[in-house]
Amino acid sequence: MSIPTMNERDLEFQLYEMLDIENLCNRPRFADHDREVFDAILGTASKMAAELFAPHNAKADQNEPTFDGEKVHIIPEVKEALKAFIDAGFMGMQHDYDVGGMQLPSSVAMACNSIFTGANVGTAGYPFLTVGASNVLRSYGTDAQKKKYMEPMVEGRFFGTMCLSEPQAGSSLSDIKTKAVPQEDGTYRISGNKMWISGGEHELSENIVHLVLAKVPGGPAGVKGISLFIVPKYLVNEDGSLGARNDVHLAGLNHKMGYRGTTNTLLNFGENDGAVGYLIGEEHKGLFYMFHMMNEARIGVGLGAVSLGYAGYLYSLDYAKSRPQGRHPDGKDPTSSQLMLIEHADIKRLLLAQKSAVEGGLALCLYAARLVDEEHTAESEEARKEATMLLDMLTPVVKSWPSEFCLEANKHAIQVLGGYGYTRDYPVEQYYRDNRLNPIHEGTHGIQGLDLLGRKVMMNNGAGLKLLFSKIQETISIASEDSTLSEFASALEAATNRIGEVTMSVGANLMKGEVNLSLANATIYLDMFGHAILAWQWLRQAITAKAALANAKTAEDKAFYEGKLSACQYFYRYELIRIGPWADLVESLDDTTYSMAADAF
């Protein structure tokens, strides 16, 4: 059966009722747009995703890319879908008109991304990597670099990648060994190996523009000595035509558990004379530039996890509504009609767990995208700085919470289908496998925890945390005035107060120099913090839904808003309660994991 992979009604709710994106059209950058334009773009994305992306999702999974020693072979449906994507202008959604872009808000672009990703994450990976790379060049490239590399990306002729990790270094970028040797003509010769490079080799585009982290000999040690380079698969002549093949070679394809439609590669740079590279910005500032792409990618990872969780939720929901099985515990008559699965309390629990995760995660990711719009287009400098502070605080959560808990939603989707869910005859097992990558890439769950507790909440004497908590308190104050929501307002206030206490306690130990012990349970801190943020997002949704419910004109709208209120209640009563034990553990500075001897395992 063909089931939608994204709830368009929920997208509409998030964009227009929660985030008021129509208001963005009052700003000069988006003045040519209105809701009719946004709806048309979202509608085109939904139609294209259903007709061109979703149909080959399983086929691409079952027929992963192969390398014959010369070329990578990918099923033809991928290129056909990407051609339509490019022809419709989606590659340039956020770019300026003068380079062929649509000049759309980030919140609308991200909503479109969620539609494509849920339909086929493997195929969607290629353009989304390219968009990220093109955005780095838009921000930090020279005019000549933009003309030669960024504009062909916006046109969809060139695709892009980011090359960070290396076989021996993994996430430890300070230990990368790729070298960039300066040449007299201003170019550099790049040599080294890069691992886990998504989209690193294919025949889907005329050229592939690799953004490569490397170290210039004689530079500072560690991350302070990292620079960023453009290293194209084919050199580009001054007139824009393609020249000789650069010294970049595919060493092999990685064979993945899921996400198989996107090639994942080991690339060798400089097997011969060295790959020609072009410095972006200044030497030794590469990690700063790359973080532009990485932070955007982290929002994309979170949204991708939401999209895959959402696809599994909608499929299992449809299955539960149409599959008769069993009777209520008090149904003793074996001749009575079976109930639909959805009538069983535990199935409703599994569905509510999914709904609260994916709809809460969608709210969080699109809220972050709206902050990107504020960061770039807000009318006052103060508002732009505030958006940047909030994004800094929330990015580890936006990346990691959906990656952990929307993956959990995929697990619940399999459970709803039972034995059928564990077979390849139904898509929910593939959604789980595809989603399992998200807790790993763009900074693992553990790395995000270290970033949040070790850096973000402590920066500038906790200024970002105070700002975030002030925003949460504004929501609590509104909800406290509503008798049906005051329970949740009180629970969220208690949770944030407890997190504040834990943060101060751990922060005091960090100041004493007890860094390793203080951060030993940073991942638990991230889970605790993330649950509070999701509870905040649910309270925001509940406030909006409660107000809209009184004026609901159709039975469908009434059911939609009531569903929001029920999911909010579920999250508070079943999920937020986990914060207490997590907080106690983090505050205790328990050393179980830190002190365990390696040879005792």
Side-chain angles (χ1 to χ4, degrees), residues 10 98 147 168 195 224 226 254 344 408 514 536 550:
D10 195 23
D98 60 8
K147 185 73 175 175
Q168 83 292 340
M195 178 61 104
K224 293 182 179 179
I226 293 175
N254 295 308
H344 295 283
E408 188 84 355
E514 298 178 5
W536 173 42

Side-chain angles (χ1 to χ4, degrees), residues 382-520:
E382 181 182 356
R384 292 193 292 273
K385 287 182 178 178
E386 183 177 279
T388 298
M389 288 180 69
L390 288 171
L391 269 172
D392 283 344
M393 284 298 307
L394 289 173
T395 295
V397 178
V398 173
K399 188 275 173 187
S400 283
W401 195 96
S403 296
E404 283 289 303
F405 295 100
C406 291
L407 176 66
E408 188 84 355
N410 286 125
K411 183 190 80 172
H412 295 324
I414 292 172
Q415 192 72 14
V416 169
L417 270 71
Y420 290 117
Y422 196 62
T423 70
R424 288 195 295 271
D425 297 324
Y426 295 84
V428 288
E429 64 85 29
Q430 183 187 339
Y431 294 143
Y432 183 91
R433 287 187 291 105
D434 287 345
N435 215 352
R436 186 59 188 84
L437 177 61
N438 287 314
I440 298 171
H441 73 161
E442 301 306 333
T444 64
H445 195 54
I447 287 173
Q448 301 302 325
L450 291 171
D451 182 40
L452 179 65
L453 180 56
R455 292 181 62 248
K456 296 297 174 61
V457 299
M458 304 298 175
M459 285 194 310
N460 301 317
N461 294 316
L465 183 63
K466 292 172 187 174
L467 174 62
L468 177 61
F469 277 11
S470 72
K471 297 296 182 182
I472 295 174
Q473 188 59 51
E474 289 174 9
T475 304
I476 290 171
S477 298
I478 295 170
S480 297
E481 300 299 317
D482 188 309
S483 59
T484 61
L485 301 180
S486 59
E487 167 197 340
F488 310 134
S490 297
L492 182 56
E493 186 165 42
T496 52
N497 287 341
R498 186 73 183 101
I499 290 171
E501 294 169 357
V502 171
T503 304
M504 289 182 64
S505 177
V506 175
N509 282 281
L510 283 169
M511 294 294 290
K512 294 176 185 176
E514 298 178 5
V515 177
N516 292 340
L517 180 59
S518 298
L519 298 181

Side-chain angles (χ1 to χ4, degrees), residues 65-74 126 161 163 192-203 208 210 231-234 245-255 262-272 275:
T66 58
F67 179 46
D68 64 8
E70 294 184 5
K71 291 185 177 182
V72 170
H73 300 275
I74 299 172
Y126 296 103
T161 74
C163 300
N193 313 106
K194 293 293 182 177
M195 178 61 104
W196 316 118
I197 309 307
S198 294
E201 180 58 37
H202 52 72
E203 301 294 321
I208 302 175
H210 303 291
V231 185
K233 175 181 175 179
Y234 292 101
R245 176 75 185 249
N246 206 354
D247 193 4
V248 183
H249 302 278
L250 176 65
L253 295 175
N254 295 308
H255 301 285
T262 306
T263 58
N264 189 270
T265 64
L266 170 60
L267 297 178
N268 292 340
F269 293 83
E271 289 185 354
N272 300 306

Side-chain angles (χ1 to χ4, degrees), residues 186-226:
T187 66
Y188 291 73
R189 289 297 181 270
I190 313 296
S191 59
N193 313 106
K194 293 293 182 177
M195 178 61 104
W196 316 118
I197 309 307
S198 294
E201 180 58 37
H202 52 72
E203 301 294 321
L204 299 170
S205 59
E206 296 175 22
N207 204 356
I208 302 175
V209 179
H210 303 291
L211 299 190
V212 181
L213 291 182
K215 293 183 175 180
V216 178
V223 296
K224 293 182 179 179
I226 293 175

Side-chain angles (χ1 to χ4, degrees), residues 121-281:
V121 68
T123 296
Y126 296 103
F128 296 161
L129 286 163
T130 303
V131 168
S134 69
N135 285 341
V136 172
L137 294 177
R138 179 179 65 179
S139 298
Y140 304 112
T142 65
D143 288 343
Q145 288 171 343
K146 292 176 186 178
K147 185 73 175 175
K148 188 178 281 191
Y149 302 105
M150 184 196 79
E151 291 185 21
M153 289 184 188
V154 176
E155 294 169 3
R157 295 191 297 110
F158 293 3
F159 282 10
T161 74
M162 59 177 175
C163 300
L164 288 73
S165 299
E166 298 180 4
Q168 83 292 340
S171 300
S172 182
L173 295 180
S174 62
D175 296 315
I176 66 171
K177 296 180 179 179
T178 299
K179 289 194 306 182
V181 180
Q183 305 295 301
E184 292 184 1
D185 62 359
T187 66
Y188 291 73
R189 289 297 181 270
I190 313 296
S191 59
N193 313 106
K194 293 293 182 177
M195 178 61 104
W196 316 118
I197 309 307
S198 294
E201 180 58 37
H202 52 72
E203 301 294 321
L204 299 170
S205 59
E206 296 175 22
N207 204 356
I208 302 175
V209 179
H210 303 291
L211 299 190
V212 181
L213 291 182
K215 293 183 175 180
V216 178
V223 296
K224 293 182 179 179
I226 293 175
S227 301
L228 181 61
F229 299 89
I230 298 167
V231 185
K233 175 181 175 179
Y234 292 101
L235 299 177
V236 181
N237 299 319
E238 290 305 313
D239 63 359
S241 63
L242 297 185
R245 176 75 185 249
N246 206 354
D247 193 4
V248 183
H249 302 278
L250 176 65
L253 295 175
N254 295 308
H255 301 285
K256 299 175 289 180
M257 171 182 175
Y259 224 121
R260 293 174 177 169
T262 306
T263 58
N264 189 270
T265 64
L266 170 60
L267 297 178
N268 292 340
F269 293 83
E271 289 185 354
N272 300 306
D273 298 326
V276 179
Y278 307 90
L279 180 68
I280 296 175

